[in-house]
Structure formats: structure tokens, C-alpha cells
Amino acid sequence: MSESDGMDDVVDGGLRQSLMVASRIAETLARKRQEAQRQQEHLDSQAAHEAQARLAAERSAAHAALAPVEKDQWWDNAQPSDIATAYTVAEAWKDHDPTALAASERIRQEVFARYGIDTRDVGTDTAYLESGIHTVATERARLAAPGTAAGVQGQDDHKSQLQSAIEWAAEEDPRFYAEWRNRQGFTDTVEDQRSVEKELIQYWQTATAPAVGQSTEGVDQTQSKADHQTDLGRATGWAKEHDPKFYDDWKLRHDFADTVADERSDENRLIRHWQAATGAQLASQSAAVEHEKAMQLLAAARAEELRAQAAKLAPQMERHQVPVEYLANPELTKALRLANNAKTPKALEVADAAVKERLYLIGKDGINGPDIDQLRKETTANVNGAGEEHFKDPAFVDAAKNLHEAKLLAEGGFKGDKWSTLEQRYERAEKELFARMEGVGREIENRVTGNDSSRLKDQGLKAETTSANDYGSAERQNAFATSLADSGANESQVRGRVAAERSEATHPRGALTMGKGAAKARKTPTGASKGAERFKGGPSK
């Protein structure tokens, strides 16, 4: 017989009730956590979508800014600021966007051919590029009228200002002067020399200009002590933070000044240094504002151009249901234009197929197409020997893009046409990809060994297309040596190339050997499966 007085039942009932309450609380908390997680995921997804939309809009704006670069007429009329703006955009996007990479290479070629400036030496200094182009253009205009009084006077003024600037910098700012001398020693052309000289003159003029509130005569008498102390306080605070070495040197000199006049002179020197430095900063900020304005104007012009194209292509756009913004894709615009100009049913059928392919690819990659990061990830994962250095080559990136698009179209069920089947397009892109891998490896070897063929080509070295028999002739050897003399190659390189031609009786390019590190295409068997083996996931045969 149980001695229980009912307490156990009460305890069990209370425990069960507590567990039920706890279970409900836990369930409520779990639901709240799930809801909070869903909200966070939604916010993250929305933020990612907005970021992706902003990136796409920025890429479209960059494409609009770079579109004129491919037109010869634009280069004939482009101002230095126009070229600098295009260069800035291309450099900012060339590691991420195939169009920008191709534009960067076109800009490099055009600027070198027209102004003798290699943008590979410019880096991110857009102001230097603009100044260099302006200097070369101005100098050419001056030389167009040689012997004029204005030209002679301008040359004399430049020499006089340069001498004054050198004397001042050597005495007042020896650190800047030493850096300037170092840059001057590495100038390769007359235009570069002139640009460096003008840089020193401008620095000297800015630094020796009267401080705010001063006049050129009677400075101490006309400037109030309060204004002077205000400027001195600002200059001191700026120098402590941004140029401590200059400040320490100035402080030591100022503290040991022998006279009040020397002390005041040192203070004015610090104020001028502060104004010159902050003036450059303001100029940089102003340049950024001007760049933004230029980008907005270019975007507006591009939008107007798209509207004009839409008016001409309206029938085809309506037939294929193409939004106006899709015209920013040049390949789609070209296909629509072909459809609009088609005169026969067969031509219209081919053009329509091209339009459908482009619309499919836009649906997969967006209006701007795949970016370089996407192509890099896909290509390096599937192609033996593809490395980071290859994606700095516009031709290689273009081949990778063509291969990527051929793969997408094959997956989408497209077949191409009888003139160019999808299989043939894939094989052409693959062949070009491997050829560019070989070419990039050879170019790297040439740069390492000092035989930079790309620069020799830039400087006008053109191989003559003569027969193999002509290469061994004395006339051919003399002509070849003469062409090398002005190419930028040194004396030993000239002798080596001429000797190679004489001994081999072939074009000197035949004497070049590919380095051990150069990329090589993997040998593959012939047959129906060769494309799929060379590139994983390629279109089936």
C-alpha cells in the first residue's frame, strides 16, 4: 500500500506543465530565430542584388566612356583631357573587364604612336599622362613655325625659368631636387625631358608665390600679424601630420634663427610649402570632380546614341522583343543591324539566329558579358598551362570569352549554321587560346632577356616580306641592320640578330627559342572526342 499523499502526482503534473511551457517558449524562440534569419538572408540577398546592379551600371558607364577609343576619328580630334579620361577608365577596369583590357591596349598603342609616351611607364599618374600629351602637342605646334620670334622668346623664357628653378630647389628643397634629378636622368625622349623640366618650374613658381595675404613688395608691412599667425598655425599643424621630416628640419632651423627677419623668412617658407602641397591636393580633388562630370557627359551621350540606334532598329527590336538597354551590347546591336539590312530570306534567317544567340548569352552573362574574373576561374580550371599572366593579354581574354560563349551556346542547344557551326567556332577559339598562350610565354621571355619585340614593333620595326632566298643577300643584311639601328635595340642585339640572319639565311624570328617556362598546348589525340578532352565540358561532337 502506497504511503503517497499525492505529492508525487502534483510534482509530475507540475513538471509536465513546465516542460510544455518551456517547449512552447523554445518553439516561439526558434520561429523568431528562423524569421530573423530569413529577414537577414533577404537583406543580404537584396544588398547583393543592389551591389550587383551598381556594378553592372558602372561597367556600362565604363563601356560608354571607352566606346570612342576604337574609332580613328576620335583619336584625330581627342584632347589631352579626353585621352586621360579614357585612360583612367581603362586602367581602373582592365583587370576585370575584357572591353576595358582591349581599350587599354588600343590606348597604349595610339598614345605611343602619336605622342611617343608609353603608358606602361605612366602607371596611375593620369595627370602626368595628360601633361605629357599636352606638352608634346604644344611643342609640335610651336615647331610648326620654326624661327618665329614668339618661338625663340618662349625657348629663352623656358631656359631662364629652368635655371632659376634649379638654383632655388637646390638651396631651399634639396630632397625634392634630388628626386627630380633622378627622374630627369631616366628620361628617354625630348618630350619627356621637357615635361620633367616644366614640372620643376611649376613647383618653383608655386612655392615662391606670395603667401595668402601677402603682396610682392613690403610683405612684412602689408600682412597683418594675425593673418600671419593664422597661416603659420595651419601650416605647422599640416606639416606635423603630413610631412614630419620637413617639419623637423624647419623647426630646427627656425629655433636657431639669428634675427627676427630670418625667423619670419623661415615662417613664410613653411607657409609656402603648406600652400603648395594643399594646392596640389585641391587640384587632385578638382580633377576627380572634372572626371566625374566627364563620365556623366559620356554616359548621357551614350544614352542618346542608344536611343538613335533604337529608332533605326525598331522593327527588329519589336520582332525579337529587345529592350533598348540591350543595345549597349555591341554584338547584339551588330546582329540586329544585319537583320535590319537583310535582303534575302536566307540572310534574314542567319541574322535572326545571331540575334537569338546574343539574347541567350545576355540572359546568362548580362549585357556587359562575362568579366575577367569569371573567365579566369573557368579557363584556369579547364585548360592546362593557363596562368594569371595570360589574362593581361587582350587577345587571350577574347579567345577565352569566345570559348566560354561557345560552351554556353552548346549547352543551350544552339547549332550555329552551315558556314560556321558551333563546333567549328569552338575549335577556332580553342586554337587561338593555345596560340596566345604560346605568344604570351614568348613575350615574357623576350622581356626577361632584353629582346622586347613588342616595343621594337611599337618603335616602327617592320619585317619585310621577302622570299627565303633574299634573306641571305648582302643587300638584305644591310637593310636589316639599318632598320634595327633606330629600333631601340642596343649594339649587341643588332649584331646578334644580323649574325643570326647571316648564318641561318632565315628571318631572325626563326632564331628565337621558346623559354622553358613558356606555356605549351597539351598534345591531344585526333578524333571525335578531341575537343572535349582539351577543354572539359566542351561541346560534344
Side-chain angles (χ1 to χ4, degrees):
M1 180 175 180
S2 175
E3 298 290 337
S4 172
D5 56 359
M7 289 301 296
D8 291 343
D9 295 337
V10 173
V11 171
D12 289 344
L15 182 59
R16 284 194 298 271
Q17 186 176 6
S18 298
L19 289 174
M20 290 176 62
V21 171
S23 176
R24 292 192 188 100
I25 293 175
E27 184 180 356
T28 302
L29 292 175
R31 282 199 300 268
K32 288 183 177 180
R33 281 198 300 270
Q34 290 175 355
E35 182 64 25
Q37 184 176 359
R38 281 195 296 268
Q39 290 179 356
Q40 186 61 46
E41 290 175 352
H42 175 72
L43 292 175
D44 292 343
S45 176
Q46 185 177 3
H49 178 74
E50 291 175 354
Q52 187 176 6
R54 285 195 301 271
L55 181 63
E58 290 172 0
R59 282 186 70 189
S60 295
H63 286 186
L66 296 173
V69 169
E70 299 300 326
K71 302 175 182 177
D72 293 336
Q73 185 179 5
W74 182 83
W75 283 101
D76 294 338
N77 300 289
Q79 297 299 312
S81 59
D82 300 330
I83 299 173
T85 297
Y87 174 77
T88 301
V89 176
E91 289 299 299
W93 283 93
K94 71 177 185 179
D95 292 333
H96 308 284
D97 184 79
T99 299
L101 181 63
S104 175
E105 179 63 18
R106 177 65 185 269
I107 291 171
R108 187 189 71 80
Q109 294 173 354
E110 291 289 345
V111 169
F112 190 90
R114 294 171 184 264
Y115 304 101
I117 300 173
D118 193 337
T119 57
R120 289 177 293 195
D121 301 329
V122 174
T124 59
D125 193 350
T126 308
Y128 171 77
L129 176 63
E130 182 176 351
S131 174
I133 294 174
H134 177 75
T135 299
V136 173
T138 303
E139 187 71 9
R140 286 176 180 172
R142 186 187 67 80
L143 294 176
T148 61
V152 174
Q153 182 64 38
Q155 185 70 13
D156 291 342
D157 290 345
H158 176 79
K159 291 180 179 179
S160 175
Q161 291 175 345
L162 178 62
Q163 184 60 35
S164 299
I166 290 174
E167 294 174 356
W168 174 87
E171 175 68 22
E172 298 294 336
D173 200 341
R175 184 176 61 170
F176 177 85
Y177 178 68
E179 294 174 352
W180 177 83
R181 274 294 189 192
N182 186 49
R183 291 198 304 275
Q184 184 194 38
F186 284 93
T187 53
D188 297 326
T189 65
V190 175
E191 290 81 3
D192 291 343
Q193 178 80 11
R194 186 82 170 190
S195 177
V196 171
E197 292 173 354
K198 287 188 175 182
E199 178 188 347
L200 178 62
I201 292 172
Q202 184 177 6
Y203 182 81
W204 161 66
Q205 290 173 338
T206 303
T208 56
V212 175
Q214 293 179 337
S215 62
T216 56
E217 298 180 0
V219 173
D220 291 335
Q221 290 77 16
T222 57
Q223 184 183 33
S224 69
K225 185 177 181 179
D227 289 342
H228 176 79
Q229 290 301 323
T230 299
D231 288 342
L232 180 62
R234 293 174 178 173
T236 302
W238 177 88
K240 284 182 180 179
E241 181 179 357
H242 296 93
D243 198 346
K245 188 178 186 304
F246 180 89
Y247 174 76
D248 292 341
D249 294 342
W250 172 84
K251 189 72 166 56
L252 182 63
R253 181 173 176 174
H254 181 262
D255 291 344
F256 286 92
D258 296 328
T259 65
V260 175
D262 289 343
E263 185 178 286
R264 185 67 173 237
S265 176
D266 288 337
E267 292 171 355
N268 286 333
R269 177 169 171 264
L270 177 61
I271 292 173
R272 287 194 296 268
H273 182 76
W274 161 63
Q275 290 176 334
T278 53
Q281 183 179 4
L282 290 174
S284 177
Q285 293 173 350
S286 176
V289 172
E290 291 300 320
H291 174 74
E292 183 63 26
K293 290 181 180 178
M295 290 294 291
Q296 291 175 356
L297 290 174
L298 287 169
R302 179 61 169 167
E304 185 62 32
E305 181 182 356
L306 293 183
R307 282 194 292 270
Q309 289 180 346
K312 295 179 181 179
L313 301 174
Q316 301 303 324
M317 292 177 65
E318 183 177 356
R319 194 160 64 88
H320 291 280
Q321 298 182 348
V322 178
V324 175
E325 59 268 22
Y326 277 23
L327 293 181
N329 184 290
E331 290 88 355
L332 176 61
T333 303
K334 179 180 179 181
L336 288 169
R337 192 177 294 115
L338 289 175
N340 200 51
N341 296 334
K343 303 299 183 183
T344 64
K346 191 62 179 178
L348 182 60
E349 179 184 348
V350 173
D352 283 347
V355 172
K356 292 176 182 177
E357 287 182 357
R358 281 299 143 191
L359 289 175
Y360 176 80
L361 291 173
I362 289 175
K364 291 291 185 178
D365 293 325
I367 298 173
N368 299 312
D371 59 27
I372 292 181
D373 293 334
Q374 179 181 350
L375 294 175
R376 182 187 293 110
K377 181 179 179 180
E378 180 179 306
T379 307
T380 54
N382 293 288
V383 179
N384 282 352
E388 185 70 27
E389 68 278 5
H390 297 116
F391 290 89
K392 299 182 185 299
D393 174 29
F396 180 88
V397 172
D398 186 59
K401 179 182 176 182
N402 291 337
L403 205 62
H404 164 82
E405 291 181 347
K407 182 174 179 291
L408 284 183
L409 291 172
E411 293 172 352
F414 291 86
K415 302 297 183 183
D417 53 56
K418 67 178 183 180
W419 292 281
S420 179
T421 66
L422 196 58
E423 179 181 322
Q424 291 171 337
R425 285 154 59 180
Y426 183 93
E427 290 181 345
R428 282 199 302 268
E430 188 182 45
K431 182 178 179 181
E432 176 64 17
L433 193 72
F434 286 121
R436 287 310 307 164
M437 288 170 65
E438 296 277 1
V440 171
R442 190 175 297 112
E443 288 167 9
I444 293 175
E445 179 196 4
N446 289 337
R447 286 197 294 270
V448 171
T449 59
N451 299 320
D452 192 342
S453 60
S454 64
R455 293 208 177 204
L456 293 177
K457 290 179 182 178
D458 285 339
Q459 293 168 354
L461 180 60
K462 303 294 184 182
E464 296 184 15
T465 55
T466 56
S467 65
N469 294 332
D470 293 335
Y471 280 117
S473 66
E475 292 79 4
R476 170 59 190 157
Q477 292 170 8
N478 293 334
F480 181 64
T482 301
S483 70
L484 285 175
D486 296 328
S487 68
N490 59 41
E491 184 178 352
S492 62
Q493 290 172 336
V494 172
R495 288 200 304 269
R497 287 173 179 245
V498 172
E501 182 184 39
R502 185 182 302 113
S503 62
E504 299 292 335
T506 59
H507 192 278
R509 283 183 302 199
L512 291 176
T513 58
M514 187 173 62
K516 296 180 180 179
K520 293 186 177 181
R522 180 174 53 185
K523 291 184 178 181
T524 58
T526 58
S529 62
K530 63 180 179 179
E533 291 188 10
R534 283 181 290 181
F535 190 97
K536 299 176 184 178
S540 59
K541 306 284 179 153

